[in-house]
Amino acid sequence: MALVLALTGCSGGSASDDTAAATDPNATLRVNWGIFPETWAPGSQSMEPGYMRVPYETLVLREADGTILPNLATEWEFGEGATSLTLQLRDDVLFHDGTPFDAEAVKTNLEYVRDVVGGQFGGPLGAVTDVVVDDDYTVTFQFARPWSTFLDLLSQRNLPIGSPAAIEDGSIETVPVGTGPWAYDEASSVPGTRIGFTKFDDYWGEFPPFANIQLYAIPDDTAASAAVIGGEIDVTDTEDEELPRLEADPSVEYFEYNAIRNNVVFFDRGEGGVFEDPTVRQALCYAMGPQVEADLRGGEPQSQHFVEGEPGHNPDITGYGADADLDKALELWDEAGNPTIEAVFPAAPFNKGQIEVMAEQMNELPGVNITVQELAPPQFISTWNSGQYPLGLGNHAQITPADWYGAWFSETAGGNPAKVASDELKELATAAQQGGGEEAWAAVTKQIADEALTCSHMVGFELIAYNTTTVANVEPATQGWEQNLIDYRTIAPAS
């Protein structure tokens, strides 16, 4: 948060007549997401979608049905065997600092996110072996393997495009400089209270109804409810406990959408690691019952990462059950030799209750001592899967099995600090990567389940409340599985 409070300003030039008529220059959308990001670095897992998609844009867009649409890239073509992808880029785009958007900018961003940022979103980009600037507005990504889902990845949080000048001088971490409709505005920002963005007059596309956006960090849900009811803010994320208060006010409406895939990952699974033995992991998975945790957080337990109807879903995965099976867990524990396990399980205020229940369930096995360490939300978001802790509970945002495997389970995955993968898993993944299709990837997800690399899956819901006297057309974004996000481009002043 200290980084965000040190922000410096950037702004655009003069307004064009065609956008001024549709956009009220005095209209300001006020949104609360509870916390501020620790960094604005493109591809950082610390920057949630509700922040990222204000200043930044992606090369392509993805509709809810999976259709890929042009954005900063206008056309694309995969090379033979999907081992490369060539993009044609827009030639009329500027960054907020006046730097032109071109193929060199794309190259700079990918290399920065892949080689410097890393983590859940930068890690999978390790399979990009080269970025070739064919000309000013043509760029080719070359892959170490077939990668037919790379366009899906480009629509997500992996590669928001930031100014190469800001990346080079390091200021991108504290000042977001993208190509989006809104540029960071120091004048409307108040340290510790709000971050302001204002209309970027040189924006290449159609400008949304709101000229300005202010992002707030009100951590207390009751205080946020009072603010939206009183019209001090327009939109806030909220929790089930706040619904009676919100429903009592006729000016407030809310909606819910599936935003989070929540599950436990065992990170310390390398040689000599606390969770090296797959039987130990399986026993701990049987000891946990995601139904209890789902009841606490208002989610739904799942047998696996991908829900029915998505690529990667495998009906043969029965999971470890919505309810804990201690008898099965004890049987496997005995098979593993009744080991002694001690580990620290990181938590944040928003998931501490869930994690404490999980720890209690695992601690029912003899010799197990899982302790919960509470962290501030920004610290939790940036470290829960960093390898600092042997296990963690967090969001897996990937929407294709290829990207999920590449983010968490391959030997080079950013979410696999142990850098190990079984021969069986690698063999199945290689077959899938060589064009094996959906059945091949479903086999990969089943192997991940069988090895208990991750378990206790749950779908979490995002609750968004808004004041109907101040804003209209508040809707979920079309991006799948992204939390703390609304469709900023459709929302309009109520008047």
Side-chain angles (χ1 to χ4, degrees), residues 313-357:
H313 179 82
N314 191 325
D316 294 331
I317 297 176
T318 58
Y320 294 90
D323 298 311
D325 187 343
L326 187 58
D327 289 338
K328 180 66 174 179
L330 288 168
E331 178 185 331
L332 288 166
W333 203 248
D334 185 62
E335 184 180 326
N338 291 294
T340 298
I341 297 290
E342 291 195 6
V344 175
F345 201 163
F350 54 77
N351 62 13
K352 182 182 177 184
Q354 178 186 7
I355 288 175
E356 286 177 336
V357 170

Side-chain angles (χ1 to χ4, degrees), residues 45-50 119-121 156-157 257-265 267 297 305 345-346 350-351 354-355 380-382 384-385 392-399 404 407-409 415 454-462 480-485:
Q45 67 184 28
S46 298
M47 181 174 51
E48 293 189 336
Q120 176 180 176
F121 301 113
Q156 299 174 76
R157 297 165 62 184
Y257 70 95
N258 294 352
I260 298 173
R261 306 188 206 254
N262 189 274
N263 49 280
V264 173
V265 185
F267 297 116
R297 299 198 65 192
H305 176 70
F345 201 163
F350 54 77
N351 62 13
Q354 178 186 7
I355 288 175
F380 172 83
I381 292 169
S382 63
W384 76 272
N385 62 358
L393 171 74
N395 180 26
H396 285 200
Q398 291 72 34
I399 57 178
W404 189 51
W408 297 97
F409 307 111
T454 179
C455 64
S456 202
H457 298 275
M458 187 180 74
V459 167
F461 306 111
E462 187 78 76
W481 302 103
E482 293 197 358
Q483 73 273 33
N484 287 348
L485 187 60

Side-chain angles (χ1 to χ4, degrees), residues 78-142:
F78 281 99
E80 184 177 356
T83 56
S84 67
L85 174 68
T86 299
L87 298 177
Q88 299 295 324
L89 307 175
R90 297 190 66 94
D91 62 3
D92 57 350
V93 178
L94 289 176
F95 289 98
H96 300 150
D97 59 5
T99 303
F101 166 76
D102 55 17
E104 285 288 354
V106 173
K107 178 180 174 70
T108 296
N109 273 266
L110 188 134
E111 291 176 347
Y112 174 69
V113 175
R114 180 191 64 190
D115 303 334
V116 179
V117 178
Q120 176 180 176
F121 301 113
L125 297 176
V128 179
T129 57
D130 198 10
V131 184
V132 180
V133 175
D134 301 305
D135 60 43
D136 286 351
Y137 299 104
T138 309
V139 62
T140 297
F141 301 101
Q142 296 181 344

Side-chain angles (χ1 to χ4, degrees), residues 238-298:
T238 189
E239 303 295 335
D240 287 338
E241 294 79 6
E242 292 300 309
L243 292 185
R245 182 178 293 105
L246 296 170
E247 290 172 341
D249 192 290
S251 67
V252 177
E253 293 186 4
Y254 64 89
F255 60 82
E256 181 181 78
Y257 70 95
N258 294 352
I260 298 173
R261 306 188 206 254
N262 189 274
N263 49 280
V264 173
V265 185
F266 298 102
F267 297 116
D268 189 15
R269 54 182 187 261
E271 184 176 355
V274 176
F275 303 114
E276 176 187 9
D277 187 347
T279 306
V280 167
R281 300 194 299 264
Q282 291 164 357
L284 293 171
C285 286
Y286 275 111
M288 288 183 282
Q291 184 64 61
V292 177
E293 292 85 44
D295 291 341
L296 279 173
R297 299 198 65 192

